[in-house]
Amino acid sequence: MTAVEHVRFDASGLVPVVAQDTNTGEVLTLAYANSEAVEKTLATGEAHYYSRSRAELWRKGETSGNTQSVVEVRLDCDGDALLYKVEPRGPACHTGAGTCFFTTLAGEGVGIATKKADGEAFGATLERLAGTIAQRHREMPEGSYTAGLIRRGPERVAQKVGEEAVEVVIAALREERLAEETADLVYHLLVLLEERGVGIEEVAGILSDRHG
């Protein structure tokens, strides 16, 4: 019996998958996988899922670059759920948050309202992303967009920040894709800070002094 044959898929041929950061223990997201996705995950060590909305197999990060390296795959006691223990490279959530679970249910007894988590989610995402960028800078792996950008020097990185800033202005005026363009700007700004040797804690300190 192969590993996948131990999994009890539902009537649609899917199994829920929880992705957990293997280093911090933080639960990152809940997704679904079919047998092909599980097989590809086990074979490649990269998280693969099945999109119910698009009805297709997808590799985490194939368009965003926010991939998940799978350290271990665990099957629950009933065989009908999986746990991917992963090392994330970038945010797990499409919103740019480090985890999809950033909304708190508030109320007496059963939750009766939703309350967005405070700035800790955004701050944690920035720290994680800055750490990933710093790692790319140290290792300079082939095929890495971040490493390739840094190789081109501070002038090109600064130029990209300017280009992305313009995209943010355009998105704001058009009232579309503002969050996505802002995420691109923040990423490139973090790359510039890393390339110039300025830590985000230094920036945070200045903001705190000015607005504390």
Side-chain angles (χ1 to χ4, degrees):
M1 178 178 289
T2 65
V4 175
E5 290 176 316
H6 291 281
V7 181
R8 293 175 54 195
F9 296 94
D10 64 17
S12 300
L14 302 177
V15 62
V17 181
V18 174
Q20 179 186 36
D21 189 318
T22 190
N23 295 312
T24 67
E26 183 176 33
V27 175
L28 303 178
T29 191
L30 170 66
Y32 290 83
N34 60 4
S35 59
E36 184 182 4
V38 177
E39 288 173 349
K40 284 187 175 293
T41 297
L42 293 171
T44 66
E46 293 291 325
H48 286 73
Y49 301 102
Y50 184 85
S51 171
R52 294 178 297 172
S53 60
R54 302 192 304 271
E56 64 181 16
L57 180 79
W58 61 286
R59 178 177 63 84
K60 172 64 177 170
E62 60 187 340
T63 56
S64 68
N66 301 322
T67 59
Q68 293 175 349
S69 178
V70 180
V71 176
E72 185 180 13
V73 176
R74 293 187 181 182
L75 183 66
D76 87 330
C77 57
D78 292 322
D80 57 3
L82 293 175
L83 174 68
Y84 286 2
K85 296 180 74 66
V86 306
E87 291 182 344
R89 306 185 189 99
C93 185
H94 72 281
T95 64
T99 171
C100 293
F101 295 94
F102 55 78
T103 301
T104 302
L105 295 180
E108 296 180 3
V110 177
I112 57 175
T114 61
K115 177 180 65 177
K116 287 289 183 183
D118 59 21
E120 291 180 357
F122 183 66
T125 298
L126 287 182
E127 289 183 6
R128 185 190 302 279
L129 181 55
T132 299
I133 292 170
Q135 182 181 11
R136 297 291 188 274
H137 192 189
R138 290 192 304 270
E139 300 176 355
M140 297 296 281
E142 293 296 330
S144 165
Y145 173 80
T146 301
L149 187 58
I150 293 174
R151 284 193 187 96
R152 299 179 68 179
E155 293 82 5
R156 178 52 182 160
V157 182
Q159 181 183 11
K160 282 296 295 181
V161 171
E163 292 172 0
E164 297 299 339
V166 172
E167 293 293 333
V168 169
V169 173
I170 294 173
L173 295 177
R174 291 178 176 174
E175 297 185 345
E176 60 182 21
R177 291 185 52 81
L178 181 55
E180 290 87 345
E181 297 298 345
T182 300
D184 289 343
L185 174 59
V186 170
Y187 161 75
H188 285 92
L189 184 56
L190 288 175
V191 175
L192 180 61
L193 291 173
E194 169 64 26
E195 201 281 335
R196 295 285 81 186
V198 178
I200 60 172
E201 66 278 357
E202 183 177 343
V203 178
I206 293 172
L207 288 173
S208 179
D209 290 342
R210 290 178 179 177
H211 305 288

